[in-house]
Amino acid sequence: MRDQGLDRIAQGYRAFAAETVEESPAYVALAAAVADDRDVLRFLAGLPVGKRHPTLFFATVRFLGGVPADGAELHDRVLTDGDRFRSTMLARATQTNEPARCAALLPALATIGGPLALVEVGTSAGLCLYPDRYSYEFDGRPVGSRGPVHLRCATSGPVPVPAALPDVVARIGIDLDPLDVTDAGDMRWLRALVWPGPAEAARLQRLDAAAAIAAQDPPTLLAGDLLERLPDALALVPEGAVPVVLHTAVLPYLAGPHRGAFIERVRELPVRWIAQEGAGMVPGTGEPYPGGWGPYFVLSLDGRPLAHTAPHGGRVDWFSG
Ligand SMILES: C[S@@+](CC[C@H](N)C(=O)[O-])C[C@H]1O[C@@H](n2cnc3c(N)ncnc32)[C@H](O)[C@@H]1O
């Protein structure tokens, strides 16, 4: 008799392989191999439901010994080193921190007058709290003097590309488990979360450069749930600064009622609110994709959709009107 639990996990890995084609041919092959490997599926089935996702599993594989050459190597490593795989997957979470998302946030930030106090929920290591320290090129049009984190962004529509960088006076982040860019283990984990593939080298270079910027002027990071810690974070906003609550690639991690409670809370607060999330995660931003992700994100300001954006920020398609 077939085990339906294993079949469900296999299905998830097949779906991941289908979604990952362009970004990571190596993970496509490994995910397909996992879907056909009953031993690896049994290992995954022994983990709590929320800990079986390919992104977490493959980051763990990479963290503990690099990207396997093929499914056979992956099989051997999981079977011989299962305890370490298990403890890493239980201790760590998907916390991919992509500073290039700031290119999508910048036009929304530019429409708010400063000085700005950024309060990022689901901040990971806080690398999206430095939009003023990176430089940009929107269709070749520069913003800021060229620096070590240089973000190129293609656009369509009437994007309000700013003439200058925003004035950020406070950087406050909340995360269930904030990562520390000065900690070698946390940096190794952040690097392991980057998928092998055509964009990998540029992403790793950007991650390291952004981490060096953050290390020189660390953000204030609060540990805990975003809804619970929001009042503590807002209490740190300096007098005279405009509080901007922002988040990117976070809402799919919250169960529906939790997400609803967070959105209701932010709407009531005297803050500006920028979200860059999968369609429909913020009400009124489209039909949600299964699982909350999708091929594009929607950038919204105070709940009003402004643009479709590439999930990693390399493209902004601003809505007319
Ligand atoms: C995919 S990462 C995105 C990180 C960052 N926003 C970015 O775009 O680069 C999602 C982050 O949300 C955090 N997170 C998930 N649920 C959370 C919650 N209930 N409260 C606070 N942080 C949460 C995770 O720990 C993780 O660091």
Side-chain angles (χ1 to χ4, degrees), residues 99-107 109 127-147 149-153 161-162 164-166 168 313:
R101 289 182 173 133
C102 286
L105 299 175
L106 194 76
L109 285 169
L127 301 181
C128 293
L129 285 167
Y130 296 81
D132 55 326
R133 300 283 176 86
Y134 306 150
S135 58
Y136 304 83
E137 236 179 281
F138 288 87
D139 299 320
R141 197 165 133 198
V143 182
S145 13
R146 194 175 177 123
V149 179
H150 186 68
L151 306 177
R152 289 195 178 81
C153 189
V161 175
L165 295 169
V168 177

Side-chain angles (χ1 to χ4, degrees), residues 30-228:
L30 290 173
V34 169
D36 287 333
D37 187 328
R38 303 306 275 181
D39 291 328
V40 176
L41 291 173
R42 262 191 289 277
F43 163 79
L44 292 166
L47 291 161
V49 173
K51 290 284 183 181
R52 300 169 180 169
H53 194 273
T55 303
L56 177 61
F57 177 52
F58 291 140
T60 299
V61 172
R62 196 165 197 191
F63 185 69
L64 294 179
V67 180
D70 53 24
E73 184 189 329
L74 176 63
H75 174 101
D76 289 348
R77 281 178 49 195
V78 172
L79 263 64
T80 52
D81 206 10
D83 287 348
R84 249 172 17 116
F85 275 78
R86 185 181 161 77
S87 58
T88 303
M89 289 178 79
L90 292 177
R92 295 280 183 181
T94 303
Q95 294 194 271
T96 314
N97 204 182
E98 180 43 84
R101 289 182 173 133
C102 286
L105 299 175
L106 194 76
L109 285 169
T111 64
I112 304 172
L116 306 175
L118 303 183
V119 176
E120 190 193 8
V121 302
T123 197
S124 183
L127 301 181
C128 293
L129 285 167
Y130 296 81
D132 55 326
R133 300 283 176 86
Y134 306 150
S135 58
Y136 304 83
E137 236 179 281
F138 288 87
D139 299 320
R141 197 165 133 198
V143 182
S145 13
R146 194 175 177 123
V149 179
H150 186 68
L151 306 177
R152 289 195 178 81
C153 189
T155 76
S156 72
V159 187
V161 175
L165 295 169
D167 177 17
V168 177
V169 294
R171 310 169 204 280
I172 303 154
I174 302 173
D175 202 280
L176 286 175
D177 182 17
L179 296 178
D180 175 358
V181 293
T182 65
D183 179 277
D186 282 358
M187 270 317 288
R188 233 163 50 70
W189 180 246
L190 284 168
R191 296 182 113 252
L193 282 161
V194 173
W195 294 359
E200 178 188 7
R203 290 189 67 193
L204 289 174
Q205 179 277 328
R206 194 158 62 220
L207 175 64
D208 290 343
I213 288 171
Q216 277 172 13
D217 179 15
T220 302
L221 299 183
L222 308 182
D225 175 71
L226 47 78
L227 191 51
E228 281 171 26

